Structures are given as C-alpha cells and as structure tokens.
Amino acid sequence: MELRFTKEQEELRQAVRYFAETEVAPAATMMELTDEFPYELVNRMAQIRLMGIPVAKQWGGAGSDFISYIIAVNEISKISAAAGVILSVHTSVGTLPILHFGTEEQRMKYVPKLASGEWLGAFALTEPGAGSDAASIRTSAVPEGDHYVIDGTKVFITNAGAAHTYIAFAATDRGQGPRGITAFIIDRDTPGFRIGRKEKKMGLHGSSTCELIFDRMTVPIAQRLGEEGGGFAIAKASLDGGRIGIGAQALGIAEAALQLAKNAMKPLNGSARVEPEHARLADLAAQVEAARLLVYRAAYMRQEGMPCTVEASTAKMFASDTAVAAAGEAVRMLGAQGCTKELSAERLYRDAKVTQIYEGTNEIHRIVIGNRLLK
C-alpha cells in the first residue's frame, strides 16, 4: 500500500514547509542562541491555525485531521525540533485530552482557547521518582469538600512556564495503584501552583522545560478530568497520540540530517571513497523511509479510531533511533565542519537524543512491543 496524502494534506504540507523555511528558520537561530521560549513564533503559528489542526471548527480548531497535524509537526521539525515539540505537546497531550475526556463545560472553557492558540497547553506526568513508571507517581490529591488539595512535584515538563493550562496527574488512592490515579486540568494561576527550576538542556533550545511545584494547591472538583481513578487510562490514551507526535518530530530531524549527509556526499562523487559512502547513505535513506511509513501508519490508525498503542510505540522507537543514527552520520560525513555551529548537523545531533527518552524511553517501548508479541 502506498502512502499518499490527500490534496488537502499535500497543500497543508507545502504551506507549513514554506512557513518553516521563512519564519521558523530565523526564529530557530535565535532560540539556539538565547534558549528563550519563542512567544512570537507561537503566536504566528496560532495566526495561521496550526495550534488546533485536528480540532473541529466548532471548538475553535482548523477542522482538519490527525494526519494533517502530524504532517505539520514533521515539517516544522525539519527546521526546528524545538518548535516541533512545542506544537506536538500542546496538541497531542495538552489539548486533545480535554476534547476527548472533558465535560461539556470543560470543553467550552478550554478547547477553543487552546485550539486557537490563544492559550498554550502542557502535560504534567513525570516526577523525580516516576518517569517511565507512571503508575508510581507520588503527587497526592486529597478531596476536601468541593475541591482537592494537591501536593507534589513534576519534572521535565515541556512548555512549562509558557503554558496557560496543564493536564496533571495525582494519586487519589495509592492503595489502588494505577486505578488510584486521577487527572486534573490546572490553570497556571491556581493557588499553590508555581514554576520551579528551568532545565538547561543540551538540545531543544527555546523549548521551555521546567519543574512544577504543587504546594497545597487547591483545585475545584470541576477541574477534575474524567472520573476519580480514571487518570491512568487518560494518560495512556493521550500518550498514544503524543508518541506519534514525537515520532513525527524525530522523523523531521532524521530527514533534515539525511539531506545534510547527501549534501556532504556530492563533493565525493568520482573519488575512491564514494562506494562505501554510497552504501552508508543508502542504508540511512532506507531507515528514514521506514520511519516515515511507521509514523504515518500509526497516525492513520489513530485517526481512524483503531487501537494503536503498539504501532505508536514502534513508530516512536524506530523514528527516534533513526534520528540519532542519521544525525550522527551527518556529523561524521561533514567531518570537523559537522561539529561546528556553522551547519545544523551538531544541533540535529543534540536535538535527536531526547527523542529516544521522552514520551517513554525506547527501552520501555521495546517492553511494550515485546509483551504484545508474546501474548
């Protein structure tokens, strides 16, 4: 079966590609230099309706499909993986969980502002002692009358500090394990909520990654997302889409690195080194194409409402491994120049590594895939 975009999807791809080359590229240079969040760029993304691509127009979105959203993340990430992950987190795990699991009142309050880009969304699951093992989170939520009192700390939260809303998870009954986790929609001005340390990362400069501190944070029951104890299921469902988004980000990195590697090969044509380098390039091109097919197959399944946990894990794992391999080859083929900031190869190499780690480490995804194979 051939992967072919519809006319509308291809038009979107071309429009996003032009936007990435003309507006994301200069912003990416400044992000790399200053490591500051690109508020103006995100505003521009909102203006051209990229912040709510798969959300229906009735909710303030662009009314397009999930594949179109993945196309946008893919194209933007070819130019800036940091801008790509801002969009990915905002959409996959910052907006869609409210649309899919929220009450009518919650949808009316939050989704139009998020889908239009007026507000930015984030997702707060990871804790100092609970990364890939989300079921072991220690943040607690204790009901008191018409509200919950939440205490705990979240770490490595993408978009933190810039986001207006956070989908956060806390244990309402630790004795129930995963069934004791509940999801909440947290406004940034909620009493007891504050932004902690901002991480200084080796890659993804400009993407804000911070610690969140909940100190007797008071959250009305109306801000609970789904039923009490239903948070783990919400997290799992949301992360399927999130992992496809990160797969698209990694694919963008890999495609950009492959292009740099091809450019590095051109001066070698006719030299004695050309045949072994051709072989390396061919292997790399095959890996990138395989990653592309896996990412868009998972996106198609997600769009059609088909179960896709294993497919999302496979796409994210393979695309991120490919991104690291492709970026490494680009640096190698460019030699000393590949290690300088004059070319983007070294940035791609730094940006690629985290794609193997966040949205579930690739070791965890191999366990997910292995468990399914052995069932």
Side-chain angles (χ1 to χ4, degrees):
M1 182 180 71
E2 182 182 359
L3 171 64
R4 181 175 296 178
F5 298 141
T6 65
K7 178 183 176 183
E8 293 76 15
Q9 290 167 347
E10 179 57 26
E11 288 174 350
L12 173 76
R13 190 195 69 78
Q14 292 181 21
V16 175
R17 180 64 179 173
Y18 177 78
F19 171 75
E21 291 175 341
T22 58
E23 299 193 46
V24 176
T29 300
M30 291 305 299
M31 290 160 68
E32 188 64 26
L33 290 172
T34 66
D35 197 19
E36 293 185 1
F37 189 84
Y39 289 99
E40 291 186 11
L41 177 63
V42 173
N43 287 338
R44 281 291 296 135
M45 290 165 67
Q47 289 170 8
I48 63 172
R49 306 187 72 183
L50 295 184
M51 302 302 283
I53 292 174
V55 179
K57 291 181 179 179
Q58 74 177 95
W59 295 110
S64 194
D65 55 23
F66 190 80
I67 291 175
S68 296
Y69 152 62
I70 292 301
I71 289 170
V73 174
N74 185 186
E75 289 296 332
I76 288 173
S77 297
K78 290 179 186 178
I79 304 298
S80 170
V85 78
I86 291 169
L87 175 61
S88 178
V89 167
H90 165 80
T91 306
S92 290
V93 291
T95 302
L96 293 183
I98 302 176
L99 182 65
H100 294 156
F101 299 101
T103 63
E104 193 73 7
E105 292 76 12
Q106 288 170 341
R107 291 173 185 164
M108 291 177 64
K109 179 179 179 181
Y110 290 102
V111 176
K113 287 184 170 63
L114 289 164
S116 67
E118 180 182 348
W119 286 359
L120 187 69
F123 185 84
L125 180 63
T126 302
E127 296 185 5
S132 296
D133 183 14
S136 64
I137 64 173
R138 305 302 297 170
T139 295
S140 64
V142 179
E144 291 187 5
D146 63 352
H147 62 273
Y148 288 85
V149 176
I150 301 180
D151 287 284
T153 302
K154 302 291 183 178
V155 292
F156 303 121
I157 306 305
T158 302
N159 290 349
H164 298 76
T165 63
Y166 299 79
I167 308 300
F169 298 82
T172 44
D173 185 349
R174 285 204 179 94
Q176 292 295 314
R179 293 187 178 91
I181 295 173
T182 301
F184 299 89
I185 307 170
I186 308 298
D187 295 326
R188 66 180 179 184
D189 59 355
T190 301
F193 171 74
R194 62 188 174 91
I195 303 296
R197 181 185 68 255
K198 180 181 179 180
E199 301 295 342
K200 296 180 180 180
K201 309 184 298 294
M202 77 174 188
L204 299 183
H205 292 173
S207 166
S208 181
T209 307
C210 301
E211 173 187 50
L212 306 181
I213 298 170
F214 307 148
D215 184 6
R216 290 196 59 79
M217 180 173 67
T218 304
V219 179
I221 289 177
Q223 296 298 105
R224 188 181 67 206
L225 184 61
E227 297 299 320
E228 188 170 295
F232 192 72
I234 291 173
K236 285 184 65 179
S238 302
L239 287 170
D240 282 348
R243 286 161 180 166
I244 300 168
I246 298 306
Q249 179 205 22
L251 176 61
I253 296 171
E255 289 171 326
L258 176 60
Q259 185 61 51
L260 283 176
K262 287 164 62 178
N263 292 344
M265 276 287 298
K266 289 176 182 177
L268 297 178
N269 281 337
S271 74
R273 290 177 55 195
V274 71
E275 287 188 6
E277 294 298 341
H278 272 175
R280 286 175 180 265
L281 198 62
D283 288 343
L284 189 58
Q287 286 180 270
V288 172
E289 182 62 17
R292 179 173 178 266
L293 293 171
L294 287 170
V295 167
Y296 282 102
R297 181 188 68 155
Y300 172 79
M301 294 179 70
R302 176 76 170 180
Q303 179 173 292
E304 296 300 309
M306 301 164 64
C308 62
T309 296
V310 169
E311 290 77 10
S313 286
T314 303
K316 186 270 184 189
M317 177 194 73
F318 190 85
S320 59
D321 284 347
T322 299
V324 171
E329 277 297 288
V331 170
R332 185 192 66 79
M333 287 184 175
L334 288 163
Q337 194 176 16
C339 298
T340 71
K341 293 186 179 293
E342 292 181 14
L343 298 178
S344 60
E346 63 87 29
R347 172 167 61 84
L348 292 170
Y349 194 51
R350 289 185 286 107
D351 288 348
K353 186 59 188 177
V354 75
T355 65
Q356 294 179 314
I357 298 170
Y358 59 16
E359 294 287 0
T361 66
N362 282 4
E363 290 78 10
I364 290 296
H365 289 297
R366 286 179 167 86
I367 292 171
V368 169
I369 296 164
N371 286 341
R372 179 63 62 88
L373 289 171
L374 295 175
K375 272 190 175 181

